[in-house]
Amino acid sequence: MLLHLLNRSPASSLVHRDTLRAMGEEDRLLLIEDGVYGALMPLADRFEAIHGRLFALREDLASRGLDGRCDARVTVVDMEGFVTLTEESERTVSWF
Amino acid sequence: MLVVLRHAPHGSSWLREGLDVALVGAAFGQAVTLLFLGDGVEALVRNQQAGALGQKGTHPTLDMLAMYDIEKLLVDSESLAERGLTLEDLQLPVAPIAAQALPALFAEHAAVFNF
Amino acid sequence: MRYALLVQGAPYSHQAAHSALRFADALIARGHRLETVFFYHDGVYNASRLASPPQDEPHLVDAWRRLNEQQGTALLVCVAAALRRGLLDEREAKRHGKQGYSLEAPFELTGVGQLVDAGITHDRLITFSP
């Protein structure tokens, strides 16, 4: 199982499409930096295919004024949670 | 190791720097797979030239891949199709890979460098 | 676990270096070792000894240095990417006939081979890009 990191908003970049195509059935996706804009509706719908495997970094949400506005399907993690996700995954692939 | 090239030539240094990682990996004895994905497929288009200011471009480096024993060259079929390209438009013989095969490709390599 | 980070974003231009430093602190707090940070692409600017941010902003170059002091983290800078962008240590500056130098220990100029090596020998390699 791999962890994928995405730091681009789906509103401004299409890289999330390549990310999703590269993801295996168990793989997880963590939204960081500008990627966290994808954790809010309606953009979160772009990640419907990986329901339950979508995460967003709390401090990047908070700094952008988005804390508490995530779609219910997104699991919000703190920096320790980010590290835990990398521990649990064999490898991490960054998309930018 | 898998090196993924996702940027077009000339507009940024990502493609050149990604290719450098592939060449060095091969020189260090690693079995290198190259995947051209997204805008990275533009790296393969024929008739590229140096930039007007003398920027070298990356097309000469592609000719060196065989010399470094980098023979597993894959191109994402969807990325080609989206850009109106076919395998005949490309300067190198590369193997098309279907979208369904991408996850296994990422999973099976011990190291992945995504540029 | 033994971690390596690949940092490709210039400090103060993109969030990549900030994210990498936050992640570095968090992994150390969880009992892991940050053995290597490799700076590539515009990430090489993180090694500038001349960086002079305003006092009320985080000093990223010093933050990298602290990791080296705390953990012995190797701070490796790709020499090919660095020289093109004007990041030279004293030796390279002399070799190229430059008066000043812009990079110093604990940052080290090194080849891309060290990045390949980090990807293979460390338990985890996490990339932070612009």
PDB file of all heavy atoms in Angstrom, chain A residues 7-8 33 59-60 64 79-80 82-84 86-87 89-90 92 94 96, chain C residues 1 3 8 15-16 19 22-23 26-27 30 32 124-130:
ATOM      1  N   ASN A   7      -0.306  18.298  -3.591  1.00  0.00           N
ATOM      2  CA  ASN A   7      -0.277  19.672  -3.078  1.00  0.00           C
ATOM      3  C   ASN A   7      -0.867  20.698  -4.058  1.00  0.00           C
ATOM      4  O   ASN A   7      -0.546  21.875  -3.979  1.00  0.00           O
ATOM      5  CB  ASN A   7       1.146  20.071  -2.658  1.00  0.00           C
ATOM      6  CG  ASN A   7       2.082  20.254  -3.849  1.00  0.00           C
ATOM      7  OD1 ASN A   7       1.722  19.932  -4.977  1.00  0.00           O
ATOM      8  ND2 ASN A   7       3.267  20.767  -3.606  1.00  0.00           N
ATOM      9  N   ARG A   8      -1.700  20.213  -4.977  1.00  0.00           N
ATOM     10  CA  ARG A   8      -2.334  21.115  -5.933  1.00  0.00           C
ATOM     11  C   ARG A   8      -3.855  21.056  -5.765  1.00  0.00           C
ATOM     12  O   ARG A   8      -4.432  19.975  -5.581  1.00  0.00           O
ATOM     13  CB  ARG A   8      -2.027  20.695  -7.367  1.00  0.00           C
ATOM     14  CG  ARG A   8      -0.597  20.922  -7.789  1.00  0.00           C
ATOM     15  CD  ARG A   8      -0.363  22.372  -8.170  1.00  0.00           C
ATOM     16  NE  ARG A   8       0.908  22.540  -8.854  1.00  0.00           N
ATOM     17  CZ  ARG A   8       2.100  22.609  -8.259  1.00  0.00           C
ATOM     18  NH1 ARG A   8       2.186  22.506  -6.945  1.00  0.00           N
ATOM     19  NH2 ARG A   8       3.204  22.765  -8.959  1.00  0.00           N
ATOM     20  N   GLU A  33      -0.773  21.334   1.723  1.00  0.00           N
ATOM     21  CA  GLU A  33      -0.568  22.653   1.099  1.00  0.00           C
ATOM     22  C   GLU A  33      -1.825  23.040   0.313  1.00  0.00           C
ATOM     23  O   GLU A  33      -2.937  22.883   0.818  1.00  0.00           O
ATOM     24  CB  GLU A  33       0.718  22.631   0.261  1.00  0.00           C
ATOM     25  CG  GLU A  33       1.933  22.249   1.131  1.00  0.00           C
ATOM     26  CD  GLU A  33       3.229  22.073   0.344  1.00  0.00           C
ATOM     27  OE1 GLU A  33       3.231  22.170  -0.889  1.00  0.00           O
ATOM     28  OE2 GLU A  33       4.264  21.830   0.992  1.00  0.00           O
ATOM     29  N   GLU A  59      -3.154  21.379   9.682  1.00  0.00           N
ATOM     30  CA  GLU A  59      -2.532  22.704   9.802  1.00  0.00           C
ATOM     31  C   GLU A  59      -2.595  23.484   8.493  1.00  0.00           C
ATOM     32  O   GLU A  59      -2.623  24.706   8.501  1.00  0.00           O
ATOM     33  CB  GLU A  59      -1.103  22.598  10.329  1.00  0.00           C
ATOM     34  CG  GLU A  59      -0.146  21.828   9.473  1.00  0.00           C
ATOM     35  CD  GLU A  59       1.205  21.664  10.190  1.00  0.00           C
ATOM     36  OE1 GLU A  59       1.199  21.313  11.375  1.00  0.00           O
ATOM     37  OE2 GLU A  59       2.239  21.889   9.539  1.00  0.00           O
ATOM     38  N   ASP A  60      -2.647  22.779   7.363  1.00  0.00           N
ATOM     39  CA  ASP A  60      -2.780  23.483   6.083  1.00  0.00           C
ATOM     40  C   ASP A  60      -4.227  23.953   5.855  1.00  0.00           C
ATOM     41  O   ASP A  60      -4.451  24.978   5.210  1.00  0.00           O
ATOM     42  CB  ASP A  60      -2.295  22.599   4.936  1.00  0.00           C
ATOM     43  CG  ASP A  60      -0.766  22.496   4.916  1.00  0.00           C
ATOM     44  OD1 ASP A  60      -0.103  23.374   5.516  1.00  0.00           O
ATOM     45  OD2 ASP A  60      -0.237  21.534   4.331  1.00  0.00           O
ATOM     46  N   ARG A  64      -5.377  28.220   6.094  1.00  0.00           N
ATOM     47  CA  ARG A  64      -6.138  28.762   4.965  1.00  0.00           C
ATOM     48  C   ARG A  64      -7.582  29.117   5.344  1.00  0.00           C
ATOM     49  O   ARG A  64      -8.402  29.433   4.475  1.00  0.00           O
ATOM     50  CB  ARG A  64      -6.132  27.745   3.804  1.00  0.00           C
ATOM     51  CG  ARG A  64      -4.794  27.676   3.095  1.00  0.00           C
ATOM     52  CD  ARG A  64      -4.658  26.450   2.213  1.00  0.00           C
ATOM     53  NE  ARG A  64      -3.372  26.434   1.482  1.00  0.00           N
ATOM     54  CZ  ARG A  64      -2.203  26.141   2.023  1.00  0.00           C
ATOM     55  NH1 ARG A  64      -2.127  25.804   3.297  1.00  0.00           N
ATOM     56  NH2 ARG A  64      -1.098  26.181   1.305  1.00  0.00           N
ATOM     57  N   MET A  79       0.048  16.701  12.008  1.00  0.00           N
ATOM     58  CA  MET A  79       1.372  16.350  11.485  1.00  0.00           C
ATOM     59  C   MET A  79       1.801  14.964  11.971  1.00  0.00           C
ATOM     60  O   MET A  79       2.445  14.220  11.232  1.00  0.00           O
ATOM     61  CB  MET A  79       2.344  17.429  11.944  1.00  0.00           C
ATOM     62  CG  MET A  79       3.408  17.871  10.986  1.00  0.00           C
ATOM     63  SD  MET A  79       3.423  17.400   9.281  1.00  0.00           S
ATOM     64  CE  MET A  79       3.484  18.963   8.476  1.00  0.00           C
ATOM     65  N   GLU A  80       1.446  14.634  13.211  1.00  0.00           N
ATOM     66  CA  GLU A  80       1.781  13.290  13.699  1.00  0.00           C
ATOM     67  C   GLU A  80       1.039  12.233  12.883  1.00  0.00           C
ATOM     68  O   GLU A  80       1.594  11.171  12.562  1.00  0.00           O
ATOM     69  CB  GLU A  80       1.431  13.163  15.188  1.00  0.00           C
ATOM     70  CG  GLU A  80       2.012  11.903  15.779  1.00  0.00           C
ATOM     71  CD  GLU A  80       1.601  11.653  17.231  1.00  0.00           C
ATOM     72  OE1 GLU A  80       0.790  12.444  17.771  1.00  0.00           O
ATOM     73  OE2 GLU A  80       2.069  10.668  17.799  1.00  0.00           O
ATOM     74  N   PHE A  82       0.224  12.535   9.785  1.00  0.00           N
ATOM     75  CA  PHE A  82       0.955  12.477   8.509  1.00  0.00           C
ATOM     76  C   PHE A  82       2.106  11.479   8.631  1.00  0.00           C
ATOM     77  O   PHE A  82       2.272  10.579   7.783  1.00  0.00           O
ATOM     78  CB  PHE A  82       1.446  13.895   8.185  1.00  0.00           C
ATOM     79  CG  PHE A  82       2.197  14.090   6.891  1.00  0.00           C
ATOM     80  CD1 PHE A  82       2.620  15.372   6.520  1.00  0.00           C
ATOM     81  CD2 PHE A  82       2.478  13.040   6.025  1.00  0.00           C
ATOM     82  CE1 PHE A  82       3.311  15.586   5.339  1.00  0.00           C
ATOM     83  CE2 PHE A  82       3.169  13.254   4.829  1.00  0.00           C
ATOM     84  CZ  PHE A  82       3.592  14.526   4.497  1.00  0.00           C
ATOM     85  N   VAL A  83       2.890  11.602   9.724  1.00  0.00           N
ATOM     86  CA  VAL A  83       4.011  10.680   9.917  1.00  0.00           C
ATOM     87  C   VAL A  83       3.488   9.237  10.013  1.00  0.00           C
ATOM     88  O   VAL A  83       4.045   8.320   9.398  1.00  0.00           O
ATOM     89  CB  VAL A  83       4.832  11.043  11.168  1.00  0.00           C
ATOM     90  CG1 VAL A  83       5.957  10.029  11.388  1.00  0.00           C
ATOM     91  CG2 VAL A  83       5.413  12.459  11.047  1.00  0.00           C
ATOM     92  N   THR A  84       2.410   9.059  10.760  1.00  0.00           N
ATOM     93  CA  THR A  84       1.835   7.719  10.917  1.00  0.00           C
ATOM     94  C   THR A  84       1.444   7.130   9.558  1.00  0.00           C
ATOM     95  O   THR A  84       1.691   5.954   9.282  1.00  0.00           O
ATOM     96  CB  THR A  84       0.594   7.760  11.829  1.00  0.00           C
ATOM     97  OG1 THR A  84       0.949   8.445  13.023  1.00  0.00           O
ATOM     98  CG2 THR A  84       0.111   6.365  12.180  1.00  0.00           C
ATOM     99  N   THR A  86       2.830   7.731   6.750  1.00  0.00           N
ATOM    100  CA  THR A  86       4.042   7.300   6.033  1.00  0.00           C
ATOM    101  C   THR A  86       4.614   6.015   6.635  1.00  0.00           C
ATOM    102  O   THR A  86       5.196   5.205   5.922  1.00  0.00           O
ATOM    103  CB  THR A  86       5.147   8.392   6.026  1.00  0.00           C
ATOM    104  OG1 THR A  86       5.625   8.617   7.360  1.00  0.00           O
ATOM    105  CG2 THR A  86       4.640   9.689   5.429  1.00  0.00           C
ATOM    106  N   GLU A  87       4.417   5.842   7.943  1.00  0.00           N
ATOM    107  CA  GLU A  87       4.885   4.594   8.581  1.00  0.00           C
ATOM    108  C   GLU A  87       4.108   3.396   8.029  1.00  0.00           C
ATOM    109  O   GLU A  87       4.667   2.328   7.780  1.00  0.00           O
ATOM    110  CB  GLU A  87       4.645   4.643  10.098  1.00  0.00           C
ATOM    111  CG  GLU A  87       5.518   5.606  10.855  1.00  0.00           C
ATOM    112  CD  GLU A  87       4.975   5.830  12.271  1.00  0.00           C
ATOM    113  OE1 GLU A  87       4.079   5.087  12.722  1.00  0.00           O
ATOM    114  OE2 GLU A  87       5.457   6.776  12.930  1.00  0.00           O
ATOM    115  N   SER A  89       2.572   3.037   5.237  1.00  0.00           N
ATOM    116  CA  SER A  89       2.656   2.817   3.789  1.00  0.00           C
ATOM    117  C   SER A  89       4.077   2.415   3.426  1.00  0.00           C
ATOM    118  O   SER A  89       5.034   2.936   3.980  1.00  0.00           O
ATOM    119  CB  SER A  89       2.290   4.093   3.037  1.00  0.00           C
ATOM    120  OG  SER A  89       1.150   4.686   3.610  1.00  0.00           O
ATOM    121  N   GLU A  90       4.187   1.501   2.462  1.00  0.00           N
ATOM    122  CA  GLU A  90       5.517   1.045   2.048  1.00  0.00           C
ATOM    123  C   GLU A  90       6.350   2.186   1.491  1.00  0.00           C
ATOM    124  O   GLU A  90       7.553   2.268   1.710  1.00  0.00           O
ATOM    125  CB  GLU A  90       5.366   0.013   0.924  1.00  0.00           C
ATOM    126  CG  GLU A  90       5.190  -1.407   1.374  1.00  0.00           C
ATOM    127  CD  GLU A  90       4.924  -2.278   0.162  1.00  0.00           C
ATOM    128  OE1 GLU A  90       5.906  -2.696  -0.476  1.00  0.00           O
ATOM    129  OE2 GLU A  90       3.736  -2.482  -0.168  1.00  0.00           O
ATOM    130  N   THR A  92       6.044   6.487  -0.292  1.00  0.00           N
ATOM    131  CA  THR A  92       5.248   7.701  -0.480  1.00  0.00           C
ATOM    132  C   THR A  92       5.578   8.298  -1.845  1.00  0.00           C
ATOM    133  O   THR A  92       6.746   8.375  -2.217  1.00  0.00           O
ATOM    134  CB  THR A  92       5.558   8.708   0.642  1.00  0.00           C
ATOM    135  OG1 THR A  92       5.282   8.085   1.904  1.00  0.00           O
ATOM    136  CG2 THR A  92       4.707   9.956   0.513  1.00  0.00           C
ATOM    137  N   SER A  94       4.932  11.689  -4.231  1.00  0.00           N
ATOM    138  CA  SER A  94       4.449  13.073  -4.194  1.00  0.00           C
ATOM    139  C   SER A  94       4.050  13.550  -5.587  1.00  0.00           C
ATOM    140  O   SER A  94       4.780  13.348  -6.560  1.00  0.00           O
ATOM    141  CB  SER A  94       5.538  14.001  -3.653  1.00  0.00           C
ATOM    142  OG  SER A  94       5.801  13.673  -2.304  1.00  0.00           O
ATOM    143  N   PHE A  96       2.814  16.987  -7.778  1.00  0.00           N
ATOM    144  CA  PHE A  96       2.862  18.442  -7.680  1.00  0.00           C
ATOM    145  C   PHE A  96       2.718  19.068  -9.053  1.00  0.00           C
ATOM    146  O   PHE A  96       2.730  18.354 -10.049  1.00  0.00           O
ATOM    147  CB  PHE A  96       4.186  18.880  -7.032  1.00  0.00           C
ATOM    148  CG  PHE A  96       5.409  18.316  -7.687  1.00  0.00           C
ATOM    149  CD1 PHE A  96       6.073  19.021  -8.690  1.00  0.00           C
ATOM    150  CD2 PHE A  96       5.902  17.052  -7.331  1.00  0.00           C
ATOM    151  CE1 PHE A  96       7.192  18.494  -9.313  1.00  0.00           C
ATOM    152  CE2 PHE A  96       7.021  16.528  -7.953  1.00  0.00           C
ATOM    153  CZ  PHE A  96       7.664  17.250  -8.946  1.00  0.00           C
TER     154      PHE A  96
ATOM    155  N   MET C   1      12.287   4.243  12.424  1.00  0.00           N
ATOM    156  CA  MET C   1      12.646   4.088  11.013  1.00  0.00           C
ATOM    157  C   MET C   1      13.630   5.174  10.590  1.00  0.00           C
ATOM    158  O   MET C   1      13.695   6.246  11.173  1.00  0.00           O
ATOM    159  CB  MET C   1      11.390   4.233  10.141  1.00  0.00           C
ATOM    160  CG  MET C   1      10.469   3.056  10.214  1.00  0.00           C
ATOM    161  SD  MET C   1       9.131   3.296   9.017  1.00  0.00           S
ATOM    162  CE  MET C   1       8.040   1.984   9.497  1.00  0.00           C
ATOM    163  N   TYR C   3      14.516   7.897   7.973  1.00  0.00           N
ATOM    164  CA  TYR C   3      13.836   8.712   6.972  1.00  0.00           C
ATOM    165  C   TYR C   3      14.825   9.547   6.164  1.00  0.00           C
ATOM    166  O   TYR C   3      15.860   9.980   6.679  1.00  0.00           O
ATOM    167  CB  TYR C   3      12.847   9.682   7.639  1.00  0.00           C
ATOM    168  CG  TYR C   3      11.479   9.098   7.922  1.00  0.00           C
ATOM    169  CD1 TYR C   3      11.282   8.217   8.983  1.00  0.00           C
ATOM    170  CD2 TYR C   3      10.383   9.450   7.136  1.00  0.00           C
ATOM    171  CE1 TYR C   3      10.030   7.695   9.249  1.00  0.00           C
ATOM    172  CE2 TYR C   3       9.123   8.929   7.401  1.00  0.00           C
ATOM    173  CZ  TYR C   3       8.950   8.053   8.448  1.00  0.00           C
ATOM    174  OH  TYR C   3       7.710   7.532   8.710  1.00  0.00           O
ATOM    175  N   GLN C   8      12.482  20.186  -2.871  1.00  0.00           N
ATOM    176  CA  GLN C   8      12.688  20.742  -4.217  1.00  0.00           C
ATOM    177  C   GLN C   8      12.154  22.165  -4.370  1.00  0.00           C
ATOM    178  O   GLN C   8      12.203  22.729  -5.465  1.00  0.00           O
ATOM    179  CB  GLN C   8      12.039  19.840  -5.255  1.00  0.00           C
ATOM    180  CG  GLN C   8      12.473  18.388  -5.109  1.00  0.00           C
ATOM    181  CD  GLN C   8      12.259  17.555  -6.355  1.00  0.00           C
ATOM    182  OE1 GLN C   8      13.163  17.400  -7.153  1.00  0.00           O
ATOM    183  NE2 GLN C   8      11.061  17.026  -6.519  1.00  0.00           N
ATOM    184  N   GLN C  15       5.713  26.548  -0.274  1.00  0.00           N
ATOM    185  CA  GLN C  15       5.550  26.001   1.070  1.00  0.00           C
ATOM    186  C   GLN C  15       6.395  24.747   1.294  1.00  0.00           C
ATOM    187  O   GLN C  15       6.513  24.281   2.441  1.00  0.00           O
ATOM    188  CB  GLN C  15       4.057  25.700   1.315  1.00  0.00           C
ATOM    189  CG  GLN C  15       3.677  25.674   2.795  1.00  0.00           C
ATOM    190  CD  GLN C  15       2.242  25.209   3.022  1.00  0.00           C
ATOM    191  OE1 GLN C  15       1.376  25.426   2.176  1.00  0.00           O
ATOM    192  NE2 GLN C  15       1.988  24.580   4.153  1.00  0.00           N
ATOM    193  N   ALA C  16       6.984  24.199   0.243  1.00  0.00           N
ATOM    194  CA  ALA C  16       7.636  22.890   0.348  1.00  0.00           C
ATOM    195  C   ALA C  16       8.630  22.798   1.515  1.00  0.00           C
ATOM    196  O   ALA C  16       8.600  21.827   2.282  1.00  0.00           O
ATOM    197  CB  ALA C  16       8.353  22.566  -0.965  1.00  0.00           C
ATOM    198  N   SER C  19       6.812  22.788   4.882  1.00  0.00           N
ATOM    199  CA  SER C  19       6.179  21.487   5.127  1.00  0.00           C
ATOM    200  C   SER C  19       7.219  20.454   5.524  1.00  0.00           C
ATOM    201  O   SER C  19       7.001  19.659   6.449  1.00  0.00           O
ATOM    202  CB  SER C  19       5.452  21.007   3.863  1.00  0.00           C
ATOM    203  OG  SER C  19       4.459  21.912   3.476  1.00  0.00           O
ATOM    204  N   ARG C  22       8.344  20.990   9.119  1.00  0.00           N
ATOM    205  CA  ARG C  22       7.301  20.559  10.059  1.00  0.00           C
ATOM    206  C   ARG C  22       7.280  19.026  10.145  1.00  0.00           C
ATOM    207  O   ARG C  22       7.176  18.458  11.221  1.00  0.00           O
ATOM    208  CB  ARG C  22       5.928  21.076   9.593  1.00  0.00           C
ATOM    209  CG  ARG C  22       5.739  22.575   9.759  1.00  0.00           C
ATOM    210  CD  ARG C  22       5.429  22.940  11.191  1.00  0.00           C
ATOM    211  NE  ARG C  22       4.219  22.258  11.658  1.00  0.00           N
ATOM    212  CZ  ARG C  22       4.003  21.924  12.934  1.00  0.00           C
ATOM    213  NH1 ARG C  22       4.915  22.181  13.855  1.00  0.00           N
ATOM    214  NH2 ARG C  22       2.867  21.330  13.279  1.00  0.00           N
ATOM    215  N   PHE C  23       7.373  18.386   8.974  1.00  0.00           N
ATOM    216  CA  PHE C  23       7.360  16.927   8.935  1.00  0.00           C
ATOM    217  C   PHE C  23       8.593  16.362   9.648  1.00  0.00           C
ATOM    218  O   PHE C  23       8.507  15.367  10.373  1.00  0.00           O
ATOM    219  CB  PHE C  23       7.302  16.440   7.484  1.00  0.00           C
ATOM    220  CG  PHE C  23       7.169  14.956   7.347  1.00  0.00           C
ATOM    221  CD1 PHE C  23       5.923  14.342   7.481  1.00  0.00           C
ATOM    222  CD2 PHE C  23       8.271  14.159   7.093  1.00  0.00           C
ATOM    223  CE1 PHE C  23       5.792  12.960   7.363  1.00  0.00           C
ATOM    224  CE2 PHE C  23       8.147  12.774   6.983  1.00  0.00           C
ATOM    225  CZ  PHE C  23       6.906  12.178   7.117  1.00  0.00           C
ATOM    226  N   ALA C  26       8.067  16.409  13.332  1.00  0.00           N
ATOM    227  CA  ALA C  26       7.058  15.423  13.737  1.00  0.00           C
ATOM    228  C   ALA C  26       7.610  14.002  13.698  1.00  0.00           C
ATOM    229  O   ALA C  26       7.298  13.184  14.574  1.00  0.00           O
ATOM    230  CB  ALA C  26       5.816  15.548  12.839  1.00  0.00           C
ATOM    231  N   LEU C  27       8.421  13.700  12.707  1.00  0.00           N
ATOM    232  CA  LEU C  27       8.925  12.313  12.634  1.00  0.00           C
ATOM    233  C   LEU C  27       9.930  12.052  13.753  1.00  0.00           C
ATOM    234  O   LEU C  27       9.981  10.948  14.313  1.00  0.00           O
ATOM    235  CB  LEU C  27       9.499  12.020  11.238  1.00  0.00           C
ATOM    236  CG  LEU C  27      10.876  12.510  10.808  1.00  0.00           C
ATOM    237  CD1 LEU C  27      11.984  11.520  11.191  1.00  0.00           C
ATOM    238  CD2 LEU C  27      10.899  12.702   9.296  1.00  0.00           C
ATOM    239  N   ARG C  30       8.218  11.360  16.926  1.00  0.00           N
ATOM    240  CA  ARG C  30       7.671  10.001  16.998  1.00  0.00           C
ATOM    241  C   ARG C  30       8.767   8.944  17.133  1.00  0.00           C
ATOM    242  O   ARG C  30       8.494   7.743  17.043  1.00  0.00           O
ATOM    243  CB  ARG C  30       6.803   9.699  15.770  1.00  0.00           C
ATOM    244  CG  ARG C  30       5.377  10.215  15.943  1.00  0.00           C
ATOM    245  CD  ARG C  30       4.430   9.733  14.861  1.00  0.00           C
ATOM    246  NE  ARG C  30       4.281   8.291  14.756  1.00  0.00           N
ATOM    247  CZ  ARG C  30       3.500   7.529  15.525  1.00  0.00           C
ATOM    248  NH1 ARG C  30       2.783   8.091  16.479  1.00  0.00           N
ATOM    249  NH2 ARG C  30       3.430   6.244  15.333  1.00  0.00           N
ATOM    250  N   HIS C  32      11.529   8.514  15.244  1.00  0.00           N
ATOM    251  CA  HIS C  32      12.278   8.102  14.047  1.00  0.00           C
ATOM    252  C   HIS C  32      13.548   8.930  13.921  1.00  0.00           C
ATOM    253  O   HIS C  32      13.730   9.919  14.619  1.00  0.00           O
ATOM    254  CB  HIS C  32      11.415   8.308  12.798  1.00  0.00           C
ATOM    255  CG  HIS C  32      10.147   7.518  12.809  1.00  0.00           C
ATOM    256  ND1 HIS C  32      10.133   6.146  12.835  1.00  0.00           N
ATOM    257  CD2 HIS C  32       8.847   7.913  12.809  1.00  0.00           C
ATOM    258  CE1 HIS C  32       8.868   5.724  12.845  1.00  0.00           C
ATOM    259  NE2 HIS C  32       8.071   6.785  12.838  1.00  0.00           N
ATOM    260  N   ARG C 124      12.196   5.204   4.460  1.00  0.00           N
ATOM    261  CA  ARG C 124      11.193   6.078   3.844  1.00  0.00           C
ATOM    262  C   ARG C 124      11.872   7.277   3.198  1.00  0.00           C
ATOM    263  O   ARG C 124      12.797   7.859   3.778  1.00  0.00           O
ATOM    264  CB  ARG C 124      10.199   6.597   4.899  1.00  0.00           C
ATOM    265  CG  ARG C 124       9.354   5.515   5.589  1.00  0.00           C
ATOM    266  CD  ARG C 124       8.335   4.918   4.641  1.00  0.00           C
ATOM    267  NE  ARG C 124       7.469   3.964   5.302  1.00  0.00           N
ATOM    268  CZ  ARG C 124       7.712   2.647   5.408  1.00  0.00           C
ATOM    269  NH1 ARG C 124       8.822   2.149   4.891  1.00  0.00           N
ATOM    270  NH2 ARG C 124       6.857   1.854   6.025  1.00  0.00           N
ATOM    271  N   LEU C 125      11.397   7.635   2.009  1.00  0.00           N
ATOM    272  CA  LEU C 125      11.830   8.871   1.349  1.00  0.00           C
ATOM    273  C   LEU C 125      10.568   9.675   1.034  1.00  0.00           C
ATOM    274  O   LEU C 125       9.681   9.190   0.325  1.00  0.00           O
ATOM    275  CB  LEU C 125      12.583   8.556   0.047  1.00  0.00           C
ATOM    276  CG  LEU C 125      12.866   9.755  -0.873  1.00  0.00           C
ATOM    277  CD1 LEU C 125      13.868  10.728  -0.233  1.00  0.00           C
ATOM    278  CD2 LEU C 125      13.404   9.294  -2.233  1.00  0.00           C
ATOM    279  N   ILE C 126      10.495  10.869   1.593  1.00  0.00           N
ATOM    280  CA  ILE C 126       9.311  11.707   1.393  1.00  0.00           C
ATOM    281  C   ILE C 126       9.730  12.960   0.625  1.00  0.00           C
ATOM    282  O   ILE C 126      10.702  13.634   1.009  1.00  0.00           O
ATOM    283  CB  ILE C 126       8.677  12.138   2.740  1.00  0.00           C
ATOM    284  CG1 ILE C 126       8.656  10.983   3.753  1.00  0.00           C
ATOM    285  CG2 ILE C 126       7.287  12.720   2.524  1.00  0.00           C
ATOM    286  CD1 ILE C 126       7.787   9.815   3.403  1.00  0.00           C
ATOM    287  N   THR C 127       9.016  13.252  -0.459  1.00  0.00           N
ATOM    288  CA  THR C 127       9.374  14.382  -1.325  1.00  0.00           C
ATOM    289  C   THR C 127       8.462  15.575  -1.072  1.00  0.00           C
ATOM    290  O   THR C 127       7.234  15.422  -0.994  1.00  0.00           O
ATOM    291  CB  THR C 127       9.255  13.956  -2.805  1.00  0.00           C
ATOM    292  OG1 THR C 127      10.128  12.857  -3.044  1.00  0.00           O
ATOM    293  CG2 THR C 127       9.627  15.103  -3.733  1.00  0.00           C
ATOM    294  N   PHE C 128       9.082  16.745  -0.930  1.00  0.00           N
ATOM    295  CA  PHE C 128       8.326  18.002  -0.799  1.00  0.00           C
ATOM    296  C   PHE C 128       8.717  18.907  -1.966  1.00  0.00           C
ATOM    297  O   PHE C 128       9.876  19.319  -2.074  1.00  0.00           O
ATOM    298  CB  PHE C 128       8.620  18.665   0.544  1.00  0.00           C
ATOM    299  CG  PHE C 128       8.099  17.872   1.711  1.00  0.00           C
ATOM    300  CD1 PHE C 128       8.895  16.933   2.347  1.00  0.00           C
ATOM    301  CD2 PHE C 128       6.787  18.050   2.153  1.00  0.00           C
ATOM    302  CE1 PHE C 128       8.396  16.173   3.411  1.00  0.00           C
ATOM    303  CE2 PHE C 128       6.290  17.300   3.221  1.00  0.00           C
ATOM    304  CZ  PHE C 128       7.095  16.360   3.851  1.00  0.00           C
ATOM    305  N   SER C 129       7.752  19.185  -2.831  1.00  0.00           N
ATOM    306  CA  SER C 129       8.033  19.915  -4.065  1.00  0.00           C
ATOM    307  C   SER C 129       7.217  21.185  -4.142  1.00  0.00           C
ATOM    308  O   SER C 129       6.164  21.285  -3.507  1.00  0.00           O
ATOM    309  CB  SER C 129       7.697  19.022  -5.264  1.00  0.00           C
ATOM    310  OG  SER C 129       8.642  17.995  -5.379  1.00  0.00           O
ATOM    311  N   PRO C 130       7.658  22.152  -4.944  1.00  0.00           N
ATOM    312  CA  PRO C 130       6.884  23.384  -5.097  1.00  0.00           C
ATOM    313  C   PRO C 130       5.605  23.138  -5.902  1.00  0.00           C
ATOM    314  O   PRO C 130       5.518  22.148  -6.597  1.00  0.00           O
ATOM    315  CB  PRO C 130       7.824  24.307  -5.857  1.00  0.00           C
ATOM    316  CG  PRO C 130       8.736  23.395  -6.598  1.00  0.00           C
ATOM    317  CD  PRO C 130       8.906  22.191  -5.732  1.00  0.00           C
TER     318      PRO C 130
END
